[in-house]
């Protein structure tokens, strides 16, 4: 399979060269012979997957005239082939997934302009088949996928800025409580400050303060704001939310040290605010960020490691999920054009997770969720984890989709 | 103990050691020379050998592999809950599982491990690369809920498909029981079996059709298949001495041939039980008591009424004091077909361990798997055993499941395809 990966790269390179040559050398008669038949104004191309030669994608016509083209795909016997894509210059224009022997044929239709394309059949002995479209399409598709995705990334940037602004306000409030020595009020406001960071964690976790090396935690804003007891660097000591959490919930008192921690946190969040405002995003950043947030859920929330003293892990859980869902929501208009099935799958799984989370809501608790006690963890941890896993697998495919989607 | 020694079996032990050595050589040879590996065939059990380059076919016209297949050394067993209400999702899952299993059983990856695109996620997780097929079989089972109303498949329900009845001594835990789908992956390399299940579970999640329910990693097959010497369970006793091995017995007791729908013929019912064994107590029990509990001698495996492993037990034989030589509550007595109206089942069990319990005791036991053409076969035997087996003091049935095992699909089709062709 490794070998195949390399092969594909070479194949892409040659496919590019070949089609470039074809455009100049193929004569009109030869083109007609290979050209797909038109039915009700739509060109029909059939692709059959078989196990021959270790996996083959057989394309009945490698050329069609510009306009709507339907690609009909059936997997007869190829166990190693599960998807097919139509590429233009390495960008995915259309595709079908979940193909397997015995399933009914599936199809997708695209309106293509004249030019050279590639049918990509990952896993086949010959993975790339050149596909040529001749002439000019009558109508151009509007609202391109690329521009929808680009709009999404801008919208997402605005969302992140809003979250950071809210975090600044919430942390200021927490600091005032601590400065006033008001333990009860601080314990009410701590859970309210937490979810903001959890929503955008994946975007802001890489910031370094000026003059620090990447390996030095003393300059790592994520470390200074969000480090947990389980991962402390003894050289740098403990700072941030969770050191404050320990003082409020474990030690049960506000000391001069707590006040110092709160002042530090306020300053670091102000830094974060400034840096976050300068961020710009690519579509795949949103997708990868969403996936990373779900990894956070699995890694530190379901384990109960994140909020070891306050047990508000479910508040953080909901924050991570909300952040991931926002990333997805901003990609959704573009993603729907690229892969409606996947979009629906991910939407549905977000619904499942949210529905499950709703069963843990407790309005009278600060933060609005039940405390994540050892009992809940033992009884429900696996259930919570499974709902997130079911979301992680389809979500993990989005980055590749948007990174290879049709150009702007 | 000396009296029970069987010279022929001793010889078998030695040749088996040689074969294992041969297996190591063959494992090393695979990456270099493909099929050119060393085999030291030196005993009478040509099947009882680890050859990591060996593979089984998934597609065919008969039963699925992994039932009559002589048991491999390891198992990874997992059940799944359906998470979709759309029959199309179930159809896609069974089709994708089938094609992936066909590849896995050939020792192949199920797609790119390292995709060319930067943002790509691997189709296959890669940890079984270069390990060879290791005789992997993956057997797919369909649980009762598949044939409920949700998917419109009720009309395809196999005639005898149902939940098992409650049985005496059941101590079942919900999180170790049930499931809508089952996968039994057996291989001679545990990493190969684990890899298969892991990647099939990924497919389940990515199609949105199912999520994991419970799972057992088992080792040291605890039942013999045709041509295999009898292995031992974790209590040190030979298990499966009288297991089914002959085709005629499979036809009589295992494969469905009931004149029902064609796609169910040569299917079977899989019953799976997670049986906890209380090791610490067992290990302090005197061996004479242990022998009486099983009804066999520990080392030779001979029934207490005989001298050699394969001697037919005599359940009527009495000693001078007038007591049964094989006690009426002995495991082999209650389980025997002689005492169960001739009923037999195919056993395909594995030992398992879950490390230590929260009480600091060894958490281990038997993943009991049986195949039969009618679930009542198992129920009949277990009703007797659960009520009176002397072994019950040392074991507990903590998990349970039942699944219909459709026959193998032909190439170009998939497990259960006929349910979706209306």
């Amino acid at each position: 399979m490794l070998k195949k990966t390399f092969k594909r790269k070479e194949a892409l390179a040659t496919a590019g060269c070949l089609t470039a040559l074809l455009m100049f050398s193929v004569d009109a008669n030869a083109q007609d012979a290979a050209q797909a038949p038109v039915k009700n104004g739509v060109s029909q191309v059939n692709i059959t997957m078989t196990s021959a030669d270790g996996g083959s994608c057989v394309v009945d016509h490698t050329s069609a005239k510009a306009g709507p083209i339907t690609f009909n795909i059936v997997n007869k016997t190829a166990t190693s082939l599960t998807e097919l894509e139509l590429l233009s210059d390495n960008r995915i224009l259309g595709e079908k997934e979940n193909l397997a022997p015995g399933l009914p044929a599936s199809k997708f239709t695209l309106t293509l302009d004249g030019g050279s394309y590639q049918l990509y059949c990952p896993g086949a002995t010959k993975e790339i088949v050149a596909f040529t479209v001749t002439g000019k399409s009558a109508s151009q598709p509007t609202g391109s996928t690329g521009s929808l995705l680009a709009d999404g990334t801008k919208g997402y940037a605005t969302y992140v800025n809003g979250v950071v602004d809210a975090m600044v306000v919430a942390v200021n409030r927490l600091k005032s409580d601590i400065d006033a020595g008001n333990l009860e009020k601080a314990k009410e406001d701590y859970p309210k400050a937490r979810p903001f960071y959890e929503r955008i964690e994946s975007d802001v976790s890489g910031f370094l303060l000026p003059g620090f090396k990447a390996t030095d935690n003393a300059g790592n804003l994520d470390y200074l704001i969000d480090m947990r007891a389980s991962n402390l660097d003894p050289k740098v000591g403990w700072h941030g939310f969770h050191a404050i959490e320990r003082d409020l919930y474990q030690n049960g008192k506000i000391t001069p040290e707590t006040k110092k921690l709160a002042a530090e946190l306020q300053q670091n969040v102000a830094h974060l605010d400034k840096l976050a405002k300068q961020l710009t995003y690519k579509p795949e950043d949103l997708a990868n960020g969403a996936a990373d947030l779900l990894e956070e859920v699995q890694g530190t929330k379901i384990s109960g490691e994140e909020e070891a003293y306050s047990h508000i892990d479910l508040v953080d859980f909901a924050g991570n999920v909300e952040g991931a869902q926002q990333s997805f929501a901003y990609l959704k208009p573009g993603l729907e054009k690229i892969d409606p099935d996947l979009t629906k799958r991910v939407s549905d799984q977000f619904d499942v997770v949210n529905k499950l989370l709703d069963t843990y809501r407790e309005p009278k608790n600060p933060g609005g969720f039940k405390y994540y006690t050892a009992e809940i963890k033992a009884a429900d941890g696996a259930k919570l984890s499974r709902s997130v896993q079911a979301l992680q697998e389809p979500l993990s495919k989005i980055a590749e989709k948007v990174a290879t989607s049709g150009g702007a | 103990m000396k009296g029970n020694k069987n010279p022929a079996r001793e010889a078998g032990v030695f040749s088996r050691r040689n074969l294992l050595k041969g297996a190591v050589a063959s494992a090393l040879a695979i990456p270099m020379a493909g099929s050119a590996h060393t085999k030291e065939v030196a005993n009478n059990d040509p099947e009882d050998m680890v050859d990591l380059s060996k593979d089984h076919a998934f597609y065919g016209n008969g039963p699925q592999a992994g039932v009559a297949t002589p048991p491999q050394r390891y198992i990874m067993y997992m059940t799944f809950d359906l998470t979709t209400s759309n029959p199309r999702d179930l159809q896609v899952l069974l089709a994708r599982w089938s094609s992936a299993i066909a590849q896995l059983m050939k020792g192949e990856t199920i797609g790119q491990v390292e995709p060319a695109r930067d943002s790509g996620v691997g189709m296959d997780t890669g940890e079984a690369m270069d390990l060879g097929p290791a005789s992997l079989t993956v057997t797919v089972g369909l649980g009762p809920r598949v044939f409920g109303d949700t998917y419109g498949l009720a009309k395809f329900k196999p005639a005898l498909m149902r939940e098992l009845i409650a049985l005496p001594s059941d101590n079942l835990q919900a999180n170790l029981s049930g499931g809508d789908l089952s996968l039994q992956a057996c291989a001679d390399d545990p990493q190969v079996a684990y890899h298969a299940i892991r990647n099939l579970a990924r497919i389940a999640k990515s199609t949105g059709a199912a999520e994991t329910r419970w799972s057992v990693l088992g080792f040291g097959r605890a039942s013999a298949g045709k041509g295999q010497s009898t292995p031992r369970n974790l209590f040190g006793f030979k298990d499966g001495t009288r297991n089914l091995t002959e085709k005629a017995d499979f036809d009589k007791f295992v494969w469905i041939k009931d004149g029902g729908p064609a796609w169910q013929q040569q299917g079977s019912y899989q019953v799976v039980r997670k049986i906890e064994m209380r090791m610490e107590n067992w290990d302090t029990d005197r061996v004479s008591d242990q022998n009486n509990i099983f009804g066999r001698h520990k080392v030779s495996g001979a029934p207490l009424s005989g001298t050699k492993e394969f001697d037919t037990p005599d359940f009527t034989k009495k000693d001078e004091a007038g007591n049964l030589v094989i006690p009426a509550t002995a495991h082999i007595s209650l389980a025997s077909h002689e005492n169960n109206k001739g009923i037999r089942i195919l056993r395909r069990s594995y030992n398992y361990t879950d490390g230590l319990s929260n009480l600091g005791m060894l958490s281990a036991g038997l993943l009991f798997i049986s195949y039969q053409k009618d679930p009542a076969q198992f129920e009949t035997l277990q009703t007797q055993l659960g009520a009176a087996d002397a072994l019950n003091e040392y074991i507990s049935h903590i998990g349970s499941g039942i699944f219909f095992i459709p026959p193998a699909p032909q190439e170009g089709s998939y497990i259960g395809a006929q349910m979706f062709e209306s």
Side-chain angles (χ1 to χ4, degrees):
Chain A
M1 277 301 148
L2 270 178
K3 231 165 133 194
K4 285 228 167 98
T5 304
F6 291 119
K7 236 201 282 180
R8 170 171 142 58
K9 267 185 197 154
E10 288 159 25
L12 267 181
T14 32
C17 297
L18 270 181
T19 39
L21 281 175
L22 274 175
M23 286 181 67
F24 294 104
S25 63
V26 169
D27 65 285
N29 290 336
Q31 256 176 26
D32 287 344
Q35 202 150 57
V38 179
K39 208 170 103 189
N40 298 329
V42 183
S43 296
Q44 302 290 325
V45 177
N46 297 307
I47 298 153
T48 310
M49 297 172 161
T50 77
S51 59
D53 301 327
S56 303
C57 270
V58 182
V59 183
D60 70 344
H61 294 94
T62 53
S63 169
K65 71 179 187 104
I69 304 171
T70 295
F71 296 89
N72 302 291
I73 309 142
V74 65
N75 187 340
K76 289 271 189 214
T77 52
T79 55
S80 57
L81 310 179
T82 60
E83 52 183 299
L84 180 109
E85 298 170 356
L86 182 82
L87 304 172
S88 166
D89 193 20
N90 259 336
R91 304 246 148 205
I92 301 172
L93 302 184
E95 66 178 312
K96 269 292 158 191
E97 284 189 337
N98 281 322
L99 306 166
L103 289 179
S106 56
K107 59 183 174 184
F108 63 90
T109 302
L110 293 165
T111 300
L112 297 176
D113 220 337
S116 55
Y117 299 85
Q118 302 85 40
L119 285 161
Y120 173 40
C121 195
T125 305
K126 186 174 184 241
E127 289 192 314
I128 298 275
V129 175
F131 189 80
T132 311
V133 177
T134 56
K136 189 117 182 84
S137 169
S139 63
Q140 292 292 333
T142 52
S144 81
T145 310
S147 66
L148 287 171
L149 289 173
D151 289 349
T153 61
K154 283 178 211 138
Y156 180 72
T158 312
Y159 164 75
V160 172
N161 291 344
V163 172
V164 182
D165 289 342
M167 175 159 48
V168 169
V169 174
V171 167
N172 288 347
R173 196 183 306 129
L174 177 63
K175 180 178 177 289
S176 314
D177 300 339
I178 290 171
D179 286 344
N182 190 339
L183 181 67
E184 288 317 304
K185 186 87 193 335
K187 283 165 85 167
E188 253 175 55
D189 285 335
Y190 172 80
K192 290 178 187 163
R194 285 293 300 150
F196 300 114
Y197 194 80
E198 299 299 319
R199 280 174 210 164
I200 57 166
E201 203 170 0
S202 55
D203 304 312
V204 298
S205 63
F207 289 133
L208 284 181
L209 293 175
F212 285 92
K213 279 197 283 196
T215 52
D216 187 353
N217 286 321
N220 177 337
L221 265 189
D222 184 50
Y223 182 96
L224 296 172
I225 291 173
D226 197 36
M227 194 38 59
R228 300 169 306 279
S230 50
N231 272 343
L232 285 187
D233 178 345
K235 274 210 318 264
V236 183
W238 203 355
H239 307 266
F241 276 118
H242 296 297
I244 293 172
E245 181 202 1
R246 169 204 55 191
D247 286 2
L248 300 182
Y249 295 85
Q250 175 85 342
N251 303 340
K253 59 183 178 211
I254 292 168
T255 64
E257 177 65 17
T258 319
K259 292 179 183 172
K260 209 177 120 196
L261 286 169
E264 233 179 54
L265 179 66
Q266 184 187 44
Q267 199 186 359
N268 286 326
V269 168
H271 271 302
L272 186 80
D273 182 29
K274 224 170 112 188
L275 292 166
K277 295 270 161 66
Q278 299 162 16
L279 290 175
T280 57
Y281 304 89
K282 293 199 294 273
E284 55 267 38
D285 295 336
L286 272 60
N288 287 325
D292 290 347
L293 287 177
L294 294 180
E295 281 174 29
E296 284 286 327
V297 173
Q298 295 286 35
T300 59
K301 276 69 179 187
I302 287 170
S303 65
E305 180 190 324
E306 183 85 29
E307 305 283 358
Y309 310 108
S310 63
H311 305 298
I312 60 156
D313 303 271
L314 290 171
V315 176
D316 293 355
F317 186 134
N320 283 155
V321 170
E322 187 190 314
Q325 191 162 13
Q326 286 299 316
S327 301
F328 170 68
Y330 281 105
L331 290 176
K332 208 171 160 191
L335 191 62
E336 243 156 15
K337 295 211 158 201
I338 304 168
D339 191 334
D341 286 348
L342 179 66
T343 311
K344 182 168 185 321
R345 178 102 48 230
V346 172
S347 287
D348 289 351
Q349 295 297 349
F350 266 118
D351 290 347
V352 170
V353 172
N354 283 322
K355 235 187 191 159
L356 181 59
L357 263 179
D358 282 345
T359 64
Y360 297 91
R361 287 195 189 277
E362 180 51 78
K364 68 175 194 289
N365 285 356
F369 280 92
K370 285 182 186 163
Y371 295 116
Y372 196 52
T373 57
E375 291 76 43
I376 291 193
K377 187 167 93 174
D380 296 3
K383 186 166 73 177
L384 287 162
S385 170
R386 281 173 181 144
S387 75
V388 176
Q389 286 172 41
L391 174 56
Q392 278 180 297
E393 281 290 343
L395 189 84
S396 69
K397 294 180 184 139
I398 293 180
E400 184 177 3
K401 299 278 169 180
V402 297
T404 53
S405 67
Chain B
M1 241 170 42
K2 235 181 178 152
N4 290 329
K5 245 183 195 168
N6 175 345
R9 282 285 147 200
E10 279 291 282
V13 171
F14 274 105
S15 53
R16 194 134 142 232
R17 210 172 280 159
N18 284 340
L19 285 165
L20 278 173
K21 238 169 36 189
V24 172
S26 77
L28 290 173
I30 291 164
M32 297 183 292
S35 64
H37 56 269
T38 319
K39 275 189 201 174
E40 289 184 45
V41 182
N43 76 353
N44 301 322
D45 301 339
E47 292 293 330
D48 200 3
M49 179 176 68
V50 170
D51 172 2
L52 296 175
S53 69
K54 183 172 177 170
D55 68 340
H56 294 286
F58 173 68
Y59 294 117
N61 294 310
Q64 281 192 63
V67 181
T69 310
Q72 302 90 325
R73 292 298 194 273
Y74 304 92
I75 188 171
M76 181 73 189
Y77 186 90
M78 189 176 278
T79 80
F80 296 81
D81 286 332
L82 286 165
T83 50
T84 179
S85 54
N86 182 355
R88 164 84 188 162
D89 291 341
L90 174 61
Q91 182 186 12
V92 169
L93 175 61
L94 291 172
R96 284 208 49 200
W97 266 2
S98 298
S99 62
I101 291 167
Q103 277 176 282
L104 290 163
M105 283 172 59
K106 283 189 272 183
E108 294 172 1
T109 56
I110 57 169
Q112 284 162 322
V113 172
E114 199 177 342
R117 294 185 189 126
D118 283 347
S119 302
V121 176
M123 286 283 284
D124 186 290
T125 53
E127 73 273 24
M129 290 178 83
D130 312 323
L131 295 182
S135 293
L136 174 72
T137 55
V138 183
T139 311
V140 183
L142 310 175
R145 214 170 67 91
V146 167
F147 306 103
D149 295 330
T150 314
Y151 306 101
L153 300 177
K155 61 175 182 277
F156 295 100
K157 190 166 85 116
L160 303 175
M161 187 62 191
R162 56 177 169 79
E163 299 285 355
L164 288 173
I165 59 170
L167 293 159
S169 303
D170 272 3
N171 184 21
L172 305 180
Q173 297 170 22
N175 61 343
L176 304 174
S177 297
D180 301 326
L181 299 166
S182 75
L183 293 176
Q184 170 199 280
C186 298
D188 283 327
D189 181 332
Q191 183 138 329
V192 169
Y194 188 84
H195 167 264
I197 295 295
R198 176 183 176 189
N199 282 275
L200 295 168
R202 285 187 75 201
I203 291 174
K205 277 175 271 196
S206 73
T207 58
E211 66 182 14
T212 57
R213 183 171 177 90
W214 62 278
S215 174
V216 174
L217 175 65
F219 59 91
R221 62 183 171 79
S223 298
K226 191 172 173 64
Q228 292 183 324
S229 60
T230 312
R232 294 177 189 278
N233 59 33
L234 291 179
F235 281 165
F237 276 79
K238 282 182 175 278
D239 216 336
T241 295
R242 307 178 83 198
N243 210 5
L244 305 181
T245 52
E246 299 309 316
K247 187 184 176 301
D249 287 333
F250 275 86
D251 288 341
K252 191 169 172 194
F253 297 107
V254 179
W255 307 132
I256 292 169
K257 291 185 301 176
D258 60 4
W263 74 279
Q264 293 173 11
Q265 305 306 307
Q266 302 194 78
S268 191
Y269 293 92
Q270 178 192 62
V271 168
V272 55
R273 310 282 282 186
K274 189 171 184 185
I275 304 175
E276 182 182 75
M277 290 160 66
R278 298 185 188 120
M279 305 295 186
E280 283 83 353
N281 288 352
W282 180 261
D283 294 347
T284 55
D285 190 34
R286 58 200 180 281
V287 79
S288 58
D289 192 48
Q290 293 186 348
N291 288 352
N292 279 331
I293 287 171
F294 271 100
R296 290 187 184 275
H297 287 287
K298 196 169 186 178
V299 172
S300 66
L304 297 181
S305 61
T307 55
K308 296 195 294 289
E309 185 195 342
F310 294 98
D311 287 349
T312 302
D314 180 350
F315 297 113
T316 60
K317 187 173 177 181
K318 293 186 175 167
D319 62 15
E320 284 150 10
N323 297 316
L324 287 173
V325 173
I326 299 174
T329 57
H331 187 71
I332 63 162
S333 178
L334 291 164
S336 71
H337 53 272
E338 290 89 342
N339 296 325
N340 285 288
K341 299 180 193 137
I343 288 174
R344 301 178 72 183
I345 56 176
L346 173 72
R347 278 172 296 165
R348 209 174 189 287
S349 305
Y350 285 84
N351 304 316
Y352 78 84
T353 170
D354 289 338
L356 294 176
S357 74
N358 56 1
L359 302 173
M361 315 212 359
L362 294 171
S363 178
L366 186 73
L367 180 68
F368 171 94
I369 299 175
S370 70
Y371 290 92
Q372 48 272 305
K373 60 164 56 169
D374 180 349
Q377 288 166 257
F378 168 78
E379 287 168 340
T380 302
L381 299 181
Q382 184 54 27
T383 300
Q384 280 227 69
L385 288 164
D389 191 355
L391 193 55
N392 288 340
E393 196 181 332
Y394 297 95
I395 63 171
S396 185
H397 286 234
I398 57 175
S400 179
I402 179 168
F403 300 89
F404 173 66
I405 306 297
Q410 294 185 25
E411 188 178 9
S413 187
Y414 57 94
I415 297 275
Q418 295 83 346
M419 297 192 295
F420 302 96
E421 293 158 5
S422 49

